Amino acid sequence: IILALIYINIHKTIRSIPAPELFPAYTEPVAYINANMEKSDRVFIQDFGMYARLAYAGLSARTISGMDSAFTLAEDPKAYWYIGHIAKGEDACSKKICLPSEIEDTYTVFKTYLHARYILIDSSQESENPYLTLFNNHIRSDNRFLKIFTDEASAKLTVYELK
């Protein structure tokens, strides 16, 4: 009974907080994506932990890697390995271990296989996620990923668009 009361209290508290106030930094980039997206657009997020923040901020687009990786592996093993390698800042590859001849162009994988239109990066997570710096550098080094939004307050949230 005590656990049920705690759950109800937490649930009521969370419900009473307006969503943008839970993760205020995500409000601007989510509003930008929502205003400029097509219904079928997808957003790639490097870190599964970002999904809740995006959902609370009201993201309308579907996310790539917005579900636990175990579900991705069961649903689409090729996507699982692409996401796993790319999210670590590695070259795109659809297998656990790839030969140099099996490496694919990251932009092309995002565009044609994962069907991403946007990539949202939260650089504030770099201290918690050592792969994020490698991922950011990989994206920044390819001018086909167009930086279209940077959060002015902290410069930690960046949105890239694939044209």
Side-chain angles (χ1 to χ4, degrees):
I1 292 176
I2 293 173
L3 289 177
L5 291 173
I6 292 171
Y7 171 78
I8 290 169
N9 190 28
I10 291 171
H11 185 67
K12 285 172 123 179
T13 303
I14 289 174
R15 289 279 185 201
S16 68
I17 301 170
E21 291 179 22
L22 285 173
F23 302 105
Y26 281 74
T27 304
E28 266 190 273
V30 165
Y32 182 89
I33 291 170
N34 285 345
N36 293 287
M37 65 174 238
E38 302 292 326
K39 187 176 180 176
S40 62
D41 286 345
R42 294 181 181 186
V43 178
F44 180 84
I45 54 175
Q46 187 264 358
D47 182 23
F48 170 68
M50 293 172 60
Y51 180 76
R53 297 177 199 125
L54 294 170
Y56 274 108
L59 182 67
S60 298
R62 293 175 59 194
T63 59
I64 301 168
S65 69
M67 66 173 135
D68 188 272
S69 58
F71 295 111
T72 305
L73 179 60
E75 178 69 24
D76 186 347
K78 192 172 180 179
Y80 172 85
W81 290 113
Y82 277 139
I83 293 166
H85 290 296
I86 291 170
K88 291 178 184 176
E90 299 171 358
D91 291 320
C93 172
S94 64
K95 299 176 181 175
K96 184 176 181 177
I97 299 171
C98 294
L99 299 172
S101 62
E102 297 171 314
I103 300 298
E104 298 178 53
D105 177 61
T106 301
Y107 179 89
T108 302
V109 169
F110 269 124
K111 189 83 173 158
T112 61
Y113 192 83
L114 299 175
H115 306 286
R117 177 165 177 204
Y118 299 104
I119 297 171
L120 177 62
I121 297 174
D122 183 350
S123 297
S124 69
Q125 304 295 311
E126 284 185 351
S127 62
E128 299 168 26
N129 183 344
Y131 296 114
L132 187 53
T133 301
L134 298 171
F135 175 75
N136 286 346
N137 291 340
H138 197 80
I139 300 303
R140 286 183 196 125
S141 69
D142 188 331
N143 63 7
R144 296 174 292 174
F145 297 103
L146 306 172
K147 186 190 287 189
I148 57 169
F149 177 88
T150 300
D151 154 43
E152 291 183 20
S154 67
K156 297 287 185 183
L157 292 165
T158 306
V159 177
Y160 289 88
E161 184 173 8
L162 288 77
K163 287 287 185 177

